[in-house]
Amino acid sequence: MVIGFIDTGIDPTHSSFADHTSEHPYPVPAHFSGICEVTRDFPSGSCNRKLIGARHFAASAITRGVFNSSQDFASPFDGDGHGTHTASIAAGNHGIPVVVAGHHFGNASGMAPRSHIAVYKALYKGFGGFAADVVAAIDQAAQDGVDIISLSITPNRRPPGVATFFNPIDMALLSAVKAGIFVVQAAGNTGPSPKSMSSFSPWIFTVGSASHDRVYSNSIILGNNVTIPGVGLAPGTENDTMYTLISAVHALNNGTTVADDMYVGECQDSSKFNQDLIQGNLLICSYSIRFVLGISTVNHALETAKNLSAVGVVFYMDAFVIGFQLNPTPMKIPGIIIPSPEDSKVLLKYYNYSLERDIMTKKIVKFGALATICGGFKANYSSSAPKIMYYSARGPDPEDNFLDDAEIMKPNLVAPGNSIWAAWSSVGADSVEFQGENFAMMSGTSMAAPHIAGLAALVRQKFPNFSPSAIASALSTTASLYDKNGGPIMAQRAYAFPDQNQSPATPFDMGSGFVNATAALNPGLIFDSSYDNYMSFLCGINGSAPVVLNYTGESCWVYNSTIAGADLNLPSITIAKLNQSRTVLRSVMNVGGNETYSVGWSAPFGVSVKVSPAHFYIASGEKQVLSVFFNSTANSTTASYGRIGLFGNQGHVVNIPLSVIVKITYNTTKT
């Protein structure tokens, strides 16, 4: 299997992409015809039997005068880090040690560690990317013969025109699907508001981001026995020894005042401080909005602490940084970032209360506050997971610029996307915290999509004749609806304090649910859709004929019957407007052994549902048509959700989410 990545390139020197880590040789698949560009940044020998293709696309960027070859690398080399990270999530080698800040965090593996990687760099550190370069990359990947395309990129605005589906990237991906390629795209990090989806079309498999249960947390124990939790991939102080706490603003040298430098509390410059005071103590620094913006950095503060011989650093959260989610940050010396403004106040209150001042001069004569830092290297697996992250883009899928609802379920699925360890480029600049490291922990739907790209490679390996929509169906219908404790998967509903603002996830938060890789390899039944079906859907959109002709070179006259979105043979049903009643058909094909299925369902609020037949026998390789009858029982403009379950007597369970947005009913009274 060959997975094509359209991203910021790759660092070919990383051990996650070496081809000698396994006893088994890696033959390059015969169906792949791609090449490796050779440049000064990407010398001959950069590719191997694992990394089998690498090109870069920048014609549009160069035409617009924004390409800076010294910063952006006119080659497939990754100057950012993002592309190296996503490629290793899907297809990085198995058993690669994750060593960051000199500490070993375990071993990494991609989802499909024996698959091959082809890289199509169309995004750049300095300016992002242009649709024309992305389209060129997609077309080249399809010509080269990749099996799967992974896109951890989304447009930065909703496409104009008659429908969101008619944008250059979605249309280029339709051509790839026509060629039999499974395409995966990140949903976007624009959640949690409804209709924030940035991946629109039914032929694209759209992935949202969920948490996993591995959490790194450290803590600080104050001299008054209060323990405050925090983050930091950092060592603890030695043997639970209590050290004196000193705030940066109380340890200035004689030539510095807070009035001169209002940011001095951020500990960015060691020349501003009195080493005699700080030496052997814990330095307290403030973590402000400037850290979020990258103007100040944790690394600079750690450098300051080291230069002044501090034992460690304690960062408290500035009150203006509200609801910002911190990734654990690697630190070579003992350290902690307290992410909660409330907890930060507890620390500062204790610190200020413990200061002894001269009654006359008000000068500090004794720093009385003590603390010890407990290290944050050890992972804890106690949190409930998965949950849908607040930033993960949500449905319903917007059909056009007026935000009309498309009858296409988005996202399709969620996968792990938060705090993901994966390979990092040697010059990766996307994350200041992990600069110079071989691995980085990143969060976003960008990290969720390649999990699915790798798992799709495993599905295609097992079922070589599956169409892209059949792979999508296998992943969707087998997804899990429950967290690890057996409760419903929860969705975070707010950017600020997301864990205090959550409720059970709906299909517009998580699509069919959380990916279940093992079940996807044995789906039982699949829903199949063809390129012609997608064309019939596009031709059914009002005013679409000239746009379809422009993008595909095909006339809508060829497709004598058109279909609505709800009538595409997808493993989900979304009805934007249920005017009294509607019947939707679905066809399933048995890819398992002979089996008898019984059908169960729960209806959305304000709707009655009936599925026929309610029981059926289906032989291996045969098809069965299901009729789903919807009837509106209450007027409502809020979306409501239901589910159809097909339960096979051989153990297969096929899960079909339902969503109905607007319900219209006419009450008639007898006279």
Side-chain angles (χ1 to χ4, degrees):
M1 293 294 110
V2 183
I3 307 177
F5 296 90
I6 294 159
D7 215 301
T8 63
I10 198 165
D11 181 347
T13 65
H14 201 286
S15 52
S16 287
F17 314 123
D19 66 353
H20 52 71
T21 58
S22 159
E23 309 89 77
H24 311 289
Y26 269 106
V28 175
H31 67 269
F32 183 75
S33 60
I35 60 156
C36 271
E37 285 179 16
V38 174
T39 67
R40 198 164 51 82
D41 309 314
F42 211 82
S44 175
S46 293
C47 284
N48 54 30
R49 291 165 303 177
K50 172 73 173 169
L51 172 58
I52 59 173
R55 307 176 188 247
H56 84 289
F57 300 82
S60 184
I62 290 164
T63 305
R64 290 165 198 232
V66 299
F67 191 84
N68 175 347
S69 57
S70 62
Q71 184 191 1
D72 293 314
F73 296 101
S75 79
F77 188 83
D78 181 10
D80 178 273
H82 190 271
T84 299
H85 204 262
T86 55
S88 77
I89 290 170
N93 286 324
H94 178 79
I96 306 303
V98 178
V99 178
V100 170
H103 193 82
H104 183 248
F105 288 95
N107 292 342
S109 172
M111 296 294 100
R114 301 274 294 129
S115 60
H116 302 271
I117 293 170
V119 167
Y120 302 86
K121 176 176 167 182
L123 299 188
Y124 295 84
K125 182 174 69 176
F127 57 85
F130 292 98
D133 291 330
V134 172
V135 168
I138 293 167
D139 286 349
Q140 189 63 60
Q143 281 177 31
D144 288 350
V146 303
D147 297 285
I148 286 151
I149 289 176
S150 183
L151 281 142
S152 284
I153 51 177
T154 52
N156 55 9
R157 63 177 185 274
R158 195 170 291 108
V162 296
T164 51
F165 319 114
F166 296 114
N167 68 79
I169 293 173
D170 286 40
M171 286 285 123
L173 291 172
L174 179 60
S175 298
V177 167
K178 186 182 184 184
I181 299 165
F182 180 73
V183 297
V184 188
Q185 187 179 23
N189 298 335
T190 43
S193 54
K195 301 192 192 186
S196 47
M197 190 52 57
S198 302
S199 172
F200 311 104
S201 298
W203 52 89
I204 299 170
F205 199 77
T206 304
V207 187
S209 173
S211 65
H212 50 71
D213 64 353
R214 185 186 62 228
V215 177
Y216 297 93
S217 59
N218 55 357
S219 56
I220 180 168
I221 302 169
L222 306 180
N224 59 0
N225 271 340
V226 171
T227 300
I228 298 175
V231 297
L233 298 168
T237 45
E238 285 187 15
N239 307 332
D240 303 331
T241 307
M242 285 280 180
Y243 292 91
T244 301
L245 287 162
I246 294 197
S247 170
V249 293
H250 293 152
L252 304 177
N253 62 25
N254 291 336
T256 307
T257 66
V258 178
D260 297 336
D261 181 358
M262 63 186 288
Y263 302 115
V264 74
E266 295 172 7
C267 308
Q268 299 295 291
D269 178 0
S270 52
S271 69
K272 303 280 174 77
F273 301 100
N274 178 344
Q275 178 162 4
D276 294 341
L277 273 176
I278 292 168
Q279 192 165 344
N281 295 322
L282 289 169
L283 178 63
I284 299 178
C285 307
S286 115
Y287 190 104
S288 76
I289 195 72
R290 288 158 52 89
F291 283 79
V292 180
L293 300 172
I295 301 164
S296 298
T297 72
V298 169
N299 284 348
H300 277 141
L302 294 173
E303 201 58 38
T304 295
K306 211 164 133 205
N307 290 343
L308 300 167
S309 307
V311 170
V313 185
V314 180
F315 294 92
Y316 70 88
M317 192 58 66
D318 186 294
F320 294 104
V321 189
I322 297 169
F324 179 68
Q325 290 275 292
L326 274 172
N327 266 337
T329 304
M331 304 184 202
K332 287 196 164 119
I333 63 170
I336 184 170
I337 307 173
I338 299 168
S340 148
E342 273 62 45
D343 286 346
S344 297
K345 284 178 194 157
V346 171
L347 168 80
L348 294 176
K349 191 175 174 187
Y350 164 68
Y351 171 79
N352 289 323
Y353 183 75
S354 306
L355 291 173
E356 287 181 27
R357 294 181 183 269
D358 182 282
I359 294 169
M360 302 294 288
T361 64
K362 298 285 188 258
K363 281 193 172 168
I364 298 167
V365 291
K366 188 183 175 200
F367 296 94
L370 301 170
T372 185
I373 296 173
C374 304
F377 287 144
K378 201 166 172 11
N380 175 329
Y381 297 91
S382 61
S383 59
S384 68
K387 67 176 62 165
I388 316 303
M389 299 307 297
Y390 65 91
Y391 55 76
S392 189
R394 311 296 165 93
D397 188 6
E399 184 173 60
D400 51 35
N401 243 345
F402 302 111
L403 286 177
D404 291 329
D405 298 310
E407 296 194 311
I408 309 290
M409 171 73 69
K410 292 287 173 183
N412 294 74
L413 202 65
V414 292
N418 209 59
S419 300
I420 304 297
W421 279 122
W424 198 241
S425 173
S426 54
V427 298
D430 190 24
S431 165
V432 183
E433 291 86 359
F434 291 97
Q435 225 155 2
E437 299 287 357
N438 266 335
F439 279 84
M441 186 188 284
M442 304 295 286
S443 295
T445 55
S446 280
M447 285 67 242
H451 277 87
I452 298 300
L455 296 175
L458 302 180
V459 176
R460 171 153 275 179
Q461 177 88 34
K462 183 171 178 186
F463 300 102
N465 298 325
F466 268 21
S467 67
S469 65
I471 298 171
S473 173
L475 288 161
S476 297
T477 60
T478 56
S480 170
L481 300 169
Y482 303 101
D483 70 14
K484 70 172 196 178
N485 301 319
I489 292 174
M490 302 298 278
Q492 297 179 337
R493 302 278 172 213
Y495 176 84
F497 309 111
D499 277 341
Q500 289 153 40
N501 292 286
Q502 54 182 32
S503 58
T506 73
F508 290 150
D509 302 316
M510 65 173 180
S512 293
F514 182 78
V515 66
N516 179 337
T518 310
L521 292 169
N522 182 16
L525 305 175
I526 55 141
F527 295 76
D528 213 347
S529 297
S530 66
Y531 172 78
D532 285 356
N533 298 147
Y534 299 135
M535 288 295 284
S536 296
F537 158 68
L538 291 174
C539 288
I541 296 167
N542 205 8
S544 66
V547 199
V548 170
L549 183 64
N550 179 38
Y551 272 117
T552 66
E554 292 183 42
S555 165
C556 278
W557 293 111
V558 179
Y559 299 91
N560 49 16
S561 65
T562 60
I563 55 174
D567 297 317
L568 277 167
N569 197 39
L570 302 174
S572 60
I573 300 173
T574 298
I575 296 176
K577 194 177 200 178
L578 178 61
N579 194 345
Q580 291 184 279
S581 63
R582 183 166 175 180
T583 302
V584 174
L585 302 181
R586 286 293 183 267
S587 171
V588 291
M589 185 171 126
N590 187 358
V591 294
N594 299 350
E595 196 160 3
T596 301
Y597 281 86
S598 59
V599 185
W601 59 85
S602 62
F605 170 78
V607 179
S608 68
V609 172
K610 183 172 184 288
V611 185
S612 172
H615 298 271
F616 59 91
Y617 167 81
I618 183 166
S620 182
E622 293 298 307
K623 290 185 177 171
Q624 170 72 46
V625 174
L626 299 170
S627 300
V628 186
F629 180 72
F630 292 87
N631 189 47
S632 176
T633 58
N635 287 313
S636 168
T637 54
T638 54
S640 47
Y641 313 98
R643 201 163 287 288
I644 297 170
L646 310 179
F647 304 93
N649 65 347
Q650 303 298 314
H652 290 113
V653 177
V654 177
N655 151 43
I656 305 157
L658 312 174
S659 52
V660 182
I661 303 171
V662 176
K663 279 83 62 174
I664 302 169
T665 180
Y666 300 111
N667 292 328
T668 54
T669 51
K670 289 180 180 166
T671 53

